[in-house]
Coordinates of all heavy atoms in Angstrom, one line a residue:
H1 N 64.4 84.0 16.7 CA 63.8 83.6 18.0 C 62.9 82.4 17.9 O 62.3 82.1 16.9 CB 63.0 84.7 18.6 CG 63.8 85.9 19.1 ND1 64.5 86.7 18.3 CD2 64.0 86.5 20.4 CE1 65.1 87.7 18.9 NE2 64.8 87.5 20.2
L2 N 63.0 81.6 18.9 CA 62.1 80.4 19.1 C 60.7 80.9 19.4 O 60.5 81.8 20.2 CB 62.6 79.5 20.1 CG 63.8 78.5 19.9 CD1 64.0 77.7 21.0 CD2 63.5 77.6 18.6
H3 N 59.7 80.1 18.8 CA 58.3 80.3 19.2 C 58.3 79.4 20.5 O 58.6 78.2 20.4 CB 57.3 79.8 18.2 CG 57.3 80.6 16.9 ND1 56.2 80.8 16.2 CD2 58.3 81.3 16.4 CE1 56.4 81.5 15.2 NE2 57.7 81.9 15.2
K4 N 57.8 79.9 21.7 CA 57.9 79.3 22.9 C 56.6 79.3 23.8 O 56.0 80.4 23.8 CB 59.1 79.8 23.8 CG 60.4 79.9 23.1 CD 61.5 80.0 24.1 CE 61.9 78.7 24.7 NZ 63.2 78.8 25.6
P5 N 56.3 78.3 24.5 CA 55.2 78.5 25.5 C 55.6 79.3 26.6 O 56.8 79.4 26.9 CB 55.0 77.0 25.9 CG 56.3 76.3 25.8 CD 57.0 77.0 24.6
V6 N 54.6 79.8 27.5 CA 54.9 80.5 28.7 C 54.4 79.7 29.8 O 53.2 79.4 29.8 CB 54.4 82.0 28.6 CG1 54.8 82.7 29.9 CG2 54.8 82.7 27.4
L7 N 55.2 79.4 30.8 CA 54.7 78.7 32.1 C 55.1 79.6 33.3 O 56.1 80.2 33.4 CB 55.5 77.4 32.1 CG 55.1 76.3 31.2 CD1 55.5 76.5 29.8 CD2 55.7 75.0 31.7
I8 N 54.0 79.6 34.2 CA 54.3 80.2 35.4 C 54.1 79.2 36.5 O 53.2 78.4 36.5 CB 53.2 81.4 35.7 CG1 53.5 82.5 34.7 CG2 53.4 82.0 37.1 CD1 52.5 83.6 34.7
G9 N 55.1 79.1 37.4 CA 55.1 78.1 38.4 C 55.3 78.6 39.8 O 55.8 79.7 40.1
E10 N 54.7 77.9 40.8 CA 54.8 78.2 42.2 C 55.9 77.3 42.8 O 56.0 76.1 42.5 CB 53.5 77.9 42.9 CG 52.4 79.0 42.8 CD 51.2 78.6 43.6 OE1 51.1 77.5 44.3 OE2 50.3 79.5 43.7
V11 N 56.7 78.0 43.7 CA 57.7 77.2 44.3 C 57.1 76.1 45.3 O 56.2 76.4 46.1 CB 58.7 78.1 45.2 CG1 59.8 77.3 46.0 CG2 59.3 79.2 44.3
R12 N 57.7 75.0 45.2 CA 57.3 73.9 46.2 C 58.4 73.7 47.2 O 59.5 74.2 47.1 CB 57.2 72.6 45.4 CG 56.1 72.6 44.3 CD 55.8 71.2 43.7 NE 56.9 70.2 43.6 CZ 57.0 69.3 42.5 NH1 56.0 69.3 41.7 NH2 58.0 68.5 42.5
A13 N 58.0 72.9 48.2 CA 59.0 72.7 49.4 C 60.3 72.0 48.9 O 61.4 72.1 49.5 CB 58.3 72.0 50.4
D14 N 60.1 71.2 47.8 CA 61.3 70.4 47.3 C 62.2 71.3 46.3 O 63.1 70.7 45.8 CB 61.0 69.1 46.8 CG 60.0 69.3 45.5 OD1 59.7 70.4 45.2 OD2 59.7 68.3 44.9
G15 N 61.8 72.6 46.1 CA 62.6 73.4 45.2 C 62.2 73.2 43.7 O 62.8 73.9 42.8
Q16 N 61.1 72.5 43.5 CA 60.6 72.4 42.1 C 59.4 73.3 42.1 O 59.1 74.1 43.0 CB 60.1 70.9 41.9 CG 61.3 69.9 41.8 CD 62.1 70.1 40.6 OE1 61.6 70.4 39.5 NE2 63.4 70.0 40.8
F17 N 58.7 73.4 40.9 CA 57.6 74.2 40.7 C 56.4 73.5 40.2 O 56.4 72.6 39.4 CB 58.0 75.2 39.6 CG 59.1 76.2 40.0 CD1 60.5 75.8 39.8 CD2 58.9 77.5 40.5 CE1 61.4 76.7 40.2 CE2 59.9 78.3 40.9 CZ 61.2 78.0 40.7
D18 N 55.2 73.9 40.8 CA 53.9 73.5 40.3 C 53.4 74.6 39.2 O 53.4 75.7 39.6 CB 52.9 73.4 41.4 CG 53.1 72.1 42.2 OD1 53.5 71.1 41.7 OD2 52.8 72.1 43.5
V19 N 53.1 74.1 38.0 CA 52.6 75.0 37.0 C 51.3 75.4 37.3 O 50.3 74.6 37.5 CB 52.7 74.3 35.6 CG1 52.1 75.3 34.5 CG2 54.2 74.0 35.3
V20 N 51.1 76.8 37.5 CA 49.7 77.3 37.9 C 49.1 78.0 36.7 O 47.8 78.2 36.7 CB 49.8 78.3 39.0 CG1 50.3 77.6 40.3 CG2 50.8 79.5 38.7
W21 N 49.9 78.2 35.6 CA 49.3 78.9 34.5 C 50.2 78.7 33.3 O 51.5 78.6 33.4 CB 49.1 80.4 34.7 CG 48.5 81.1 33.5 CD1 47.1 81.3 33.3 CD2 49.2 81.7 32.4 NE1 47.1 82.0 32.1 CE2 48.2 82.3 31.5 CE3 50.6 81.8 32.1 CZ2 48.6 83.0 30.3 CZ3 50.9 82.5 30.8 CH2 49.9 83.0 30.0
Q22 N 49.6 78.4 32.1 CA 50.5 78.3 30.9 C 49.7 78.6 29.7 O 48.5 78.6 29.7 CB 51.1 76.9 30.8 CG 50.2 75.8 30.5 CD 50.9 74.5 30.3 OE1 51.5 74.0 31.2 NE2 50.8 73.8 29.2
T23 N 50.4 79.0 28.7 CA 49.8 79.2 27.3 C 49.5 77.8 26.7 O 50.1 76.9 27.0 CB 50.7 80.0 26.4 OG1 51.9 79.4 26.2 CG2 50.9 81.4 26.9
Q24 N 48.5 77.8 25.9 CA 48.1 76.5 25.2 C 49.0 76.2 24.0 O 49.2 75.0 23.7 CB 46.7 76.6 24.7 CG 45.6 76.7 25.8 CD 45.8 75.6 26.8 OE1 45.7 74.4 26.5 NE2 46.0 75.9 28.1
Q25 N 49.6 77.2 23.4 CA 50.5 77.0 22.3 C 51.8 77.9 22.5 O 51.8 78.9 23.2 CB 49.7 77.5 21.0 CG 48.5 76.8 20.7 CD 48.7 75.3 20.4 OE1 49.8 74.9 19.8 NE2 47.7 74.5 20.7
P26 N 52.8 77.5 21.7 CA 54.0 78.4 21.6 C 53.6 79.8 21.2 O 52.8 80.0 20.3 CB 55.0 77.7 20.7 CG 54.6 76.3 20.7 CD 53.1 76.4 20.9
I27 N 54.4 80.9 21.7 CA 54.1 82.2 21.3 C 55.3 82.8 20.5 O 56.4 82.5 20.8 CB 54.0 83.1 22.7 CG1 52.9 82.6 23.6 CG2 53.8 84.6 22.3 CD1 51.5 82.6 23.0
R28 N 55.0 83.5 19.4 CA 56.0 84.1 18.6 C 56.7 85.2 19.3 O 56.0 86.1 20.0 CB 55.5 84.6 17.3 CG 56.5 85.3 16.4 CD 55.9 85.7 15.0 NE 57.0 86.0 14.0 CZ 57.3 87.2 13.7 NH1 56.7 88.3 14.3 NH2 58.4 87.5 12.9

C-alpha cells in the first residue's frame, strides 16, 4: 500500500473542492 495524505474537502459551486482539513504527512 502507498503511504498517503488524507484530505477532506467541501463542495464548491464549480464542482471543485476547498480543502478544509488534511494530514501534515502521508499516513501508513
Side-chain angles (χ1 to χ4, degrees):
H1 287 67
L2 284 179
H3 295 212
K4 306 197 80 172
V6 185
L7 286 71
I8 296 174
E10 281 186 352
V11 179
R12 302 192 318 213
D14 62 357
Q16 293 291 317
F17 293 86
D18 282 327
V19 177
V20 296
W21 181 90
Q22 70 177 59
T23 56
Q24 295 306 303
Q25 299 294 332
I27 304 299
R28 183 177 189 258

